[in-house]
């Protein structure tokens, strides 16, 4: 950030160019298998010009274009500084094809990035984590970049608590964070773009659902009820073999407390409270959700299948077949201002594996009957796999 400002002060002309600089480039799925969404930011508006993405199958031939749209917004810092987000959707993409692209406008274009359009007939490989910042999270960012360069991911999903906090330092904390993750986010889609705080999408054999647990923590009754009604309809229409649900606040995990994760603002979404705050656990269990991931607590823990506080144990905790309830994974240890070591925790009866290393969950969905997860320790850029687990069903 200091370097960018220094360049901008060199001359008026330099300032004009710098303010139009294309930054924070990142990809997202759209929910359609033949599309890819790209988003970027400039610090100044682009009057009388059109933002766009140019793309093609070779670096030297970016002949296809898609127009973007722009949203101006003020950060939540004291100065309310304006920024401008630009977004374009590339269409008619071919599964498995490598594409090159660059974004910007007639005033300035980005460098050329590339991505491979996901082939949903192949196994899905995804990194899933929460609670990541540059401070104490750089090793995870570095490992994700290295793994991206080694073509290990088809998808990356962040399940809450970005940067700590995006609006700090008049928004420069968010700028620094989004630029720090660009070396993986501009090459691998990061979740799905949906202008909503709860959403779902299909990928191959999987139906992914993302929910907003903050509605409960912030006691937003109307929004909680709206989300619940949407979830009922979404689950009823789901016909995929696997269902994976993600939200931020944990329902089950070990902690320093005797009951583990049992804060009122966290378990309200699980248990509910009258009609004002409908509980979600029973609904998810009724619809045979397979896997639930969350963060908020800054560590990693995998649990047995659980329903209504009761774990369903079997002979092999590393390979569970036909689980009678969702398997739970706490994956909030990517790296942020505070980190929790499970050696200080009272390990609960439903816990299978608790790890204190920084890292993320690596998900692989092979087919309609098998998926696996593992914990990737990011202390080395090669990554160390510490919790291999297979979930199987008929």
């Amino acid at each position: 950030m200091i370097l960018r400002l220094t360049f901008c002060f060199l001359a008026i002309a330099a300032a004009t160019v710098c303010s139009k600089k294309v930054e924070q480039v990142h990809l997202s799925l759209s929910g359609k298998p033949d599309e890819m969404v790209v988003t970027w930011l400039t610090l100044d508006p682009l009057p009388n010009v059109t933002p766009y993405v140019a793309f093609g199958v070779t670096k030297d031939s970016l002949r296809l274009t898609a127009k973007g749209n722009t949203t101006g917004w003020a950060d939540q810092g004291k100065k309310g500084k304006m920024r401008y987000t630009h977004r374009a959707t590339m269409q008619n993409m071919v599964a498995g094809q490598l594409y090159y692209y660059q974004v910007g406008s007639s005033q300035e274009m980005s460098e050329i990035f590339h991505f491979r359009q996901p082939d949903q007939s192949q196994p899905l490989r995804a990194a899933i984590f929460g609670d990541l910042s540059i401070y104490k999270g750089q090793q995870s960012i570095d490992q994700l970049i290295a793994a991206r360069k080694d073509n290990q991911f088809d998808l990356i999903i962040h399940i809450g608590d970005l940067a700590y906090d995006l609006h700090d330092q008049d928004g420069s904390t968010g700028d620094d964070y989004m630029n720090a993750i660009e070396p993986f986010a501009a090459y691998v889609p990061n979740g799905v773009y949906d202008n909503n705080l709860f959403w779902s999408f299909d990928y191959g054999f999987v139906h992914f659902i993302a929910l907003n647990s903050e509605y409960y923590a912030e006691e937003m009754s109307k929004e909680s009820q709206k989300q619940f009604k949407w979830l009922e309809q979404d689950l009823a229409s789901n016909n995929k073999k696997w269902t994976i649900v993600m939200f931020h606040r944990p329902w089950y995990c070990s902690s320093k407390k005797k009951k583990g994760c049992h804060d009122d603002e966290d378990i309200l979404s699980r248990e509910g409270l009258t009609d004002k705050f409908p509980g979600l656990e029973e609904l998810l269990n009724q619809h045979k959700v397979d896997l639930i991931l969350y963060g908020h607590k800054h560590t990693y823990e995998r649990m047995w299948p659980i329903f209504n506080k009761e774990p369903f144990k079997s002979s092999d905790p590393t390979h569970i077949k036909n689980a009678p309830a969702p398997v739970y994974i706490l994956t909030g240890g990517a790296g942020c201002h505070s980190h929790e070591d499970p050696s200080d925790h009272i390990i609960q009866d439903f816990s299978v594996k608790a790890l204190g290393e920084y890292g993320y969950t690596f998900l692989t969905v092979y087919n309609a009957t098998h998926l696996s997860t593992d914990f990737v320790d990011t202390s080395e850029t090669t990554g160390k796999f510490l919790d291999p687990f297979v979930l199987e069903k008929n």
Side-chain angles (χ1 to χ4, degrees), residues 283-319:
L283 179 62
L284 297 182
N285 195 66
Q286 287 175 354
H287 285 272
K288 302 186 184 303
V289 167
D290 300 288
L291 185 63
I292 295 177
L293 300 105
Y294 39 61
H296 193 58
K297 304 298 183 183
H298 303 155
T299 189
Y300 171 87
E301 188 172 18
R302 178 168 59 87
M303 276 65 73
W304 290 101
I306 308 171
F307 177 64
N308 194 23
K309 306 176 186 177
E310 294 296 325
F312 294 87
K313 298 183 179 182
S314 53
S315 59
D316 185 358
T318 67
H319 191 144

Side-chain angles (χ1 to χ4, degrees), residues 135-368:
Y135 179 60
K136 293 190 177 180
Q138 190 62 52
Q139 71 174 43
S140 290
I141 293 172
D142 291 343
Q143 199 282 329
L144 287 163
I145 293 170
R148 186 278 299 172
K149 291 179 179 178
D150 197 34
N151 191 33
Q152 294 182 19
F153 306 128
D154 304 300
L155 183 63
I156 297 173
I157 300 177
H158 195 308
I159 55 176
D161 274 359
L162 297 165
Y164 295 90
D165 283 315
L166 292 168
H167 62 272
D168 282 359
Q169 304 298 317
D170 295 313
S172 66
T173 296
D175 293 335
D176 292 344
Y177 174 83
M178 293 303 297
N179 283 317
I181 69 171
E182 185 183 82
F184 66 76
Y187 297 86
V188 178
N190 284 241
V192 62
Y193 171 69
D194 191 305
N195 191 25
N196 197 7
L197 296 179
F198 51 89
W199 38 266
S200 65
F201 69 99
D202 294 333
Y203 190 114
F205 295 101
V206 187
H207 184 62
F208 285 97
I209 300 173
L211 300 174
N212 185 4
S213 56
E214 299 307 302
Y215 287 155
Y216 293 82
E218 300 296 330
E219 299 185 356
M220 302 170 69
S221 176
K222 183 184 297 185
E223 291 81 358
S224 299
Q225 294 176 52
K226 181 179 179 181
Q227 177 177 249
F228 184 82
K229 290 178 181 178
W230 170 86
L231 180 60
E232 285 183 309
Q233 296 172 357
D234 185 82
L235 288 168
S237 63
N238 173 29
N239 60 5
K240 290 296 181 179
K241 298 296 184 180
W242 298 100
T243 304
I244 297 175
V245 174
M246 304 166 292
F247 45 86
H248 185 63
R249 291 178 178 265
W251 285 356
Y252 298 105
C253 71
S254 301
S255 71
K256 295 180 180 180
K257 300 178 181 179
K258 289 184 179 180
K259 292 184 178 180
C261 294
H262 206 70
D263 295 338
D264 290 342
E265 62 268 27
D266 296 340
I267 64 172
L268 180 59
S269 60
R270 187 187 84 203
E271 299 178 351
L273 180 65
T274 66
D275 293 335
K276 294 182 64 177
F277 295 97
L280 301 175
E281 183 180 27
E282 184 173 349
L283 179 62
L284 297 182
N285 195 66
Q286 287 175 354
H287 285 272
K288 302 186 184 303
V289 167
D290 300 288
L291 185 63
I292 295 177
L293 300 105
Y294 39 61
H296 193 58
K297 304 298 183 183
H298 303 155
T299 189
Y300 171 87
E301 188 172 18
R302 178 168 59 87
M303 276 65 73
W304 290 101
I306 308 171
F307 177 64
N308 194 23
K309 306 176 186 177
E310 294 296 325
F312 294 87
K313 298 183 179 182
S314 53
S315 59
D316 185 358
T318 67
H319 191 144
I320 296 176
K321 186 175 182 179
N322 296 325
V327 170
Y328 287 81
I329 296 178
L330 167 64
T331 183
C336 61
H337 61 284
S338 62
H339 197 73
E340 299 182 32
D341 192 325
S343 63
D344 297 330
H345 292 173
I346 300 171
I347 301 300
Q348 301 294 303
D349 184 53
F350 50 66
S351 179
V352 175
K353 189 86 167 184
L355 296 168
E357 289 83 358
Y358 290 94
Y360 58 88
T361 297
F362 186 84
L363 166 73
T364 307
V365 181
Y366 300 97
N367 48 42

Side-chain angles (χ1 to χ4, degrees), residues 36 38 40 50-55 63-69 87-91 104:
M36 185 66 73
V38 59
W40 67 100
T50 301
Y52 70 96
V53 55
F55 60 102
R63 296 176 180 174
L64 302 171
T65 61
K67 292 182 179 180
N69 56 68
R87 183 172 289 112
T89 301
M90 294 172 272
Q91 298 177 315

Side-chain angles (χ1 to χ4, degrees), residues 16-33:
T16 303
V17 172
C18 189
S19 65
K20 308 300 182 185
K21 179 184 176 183
V22 175
E23 58 180 89
Q24 305 179 33
V25 179
H26 55 284
L27 297 172
S28 306
L29 300 177
S30 73
K32 296 181 180 180

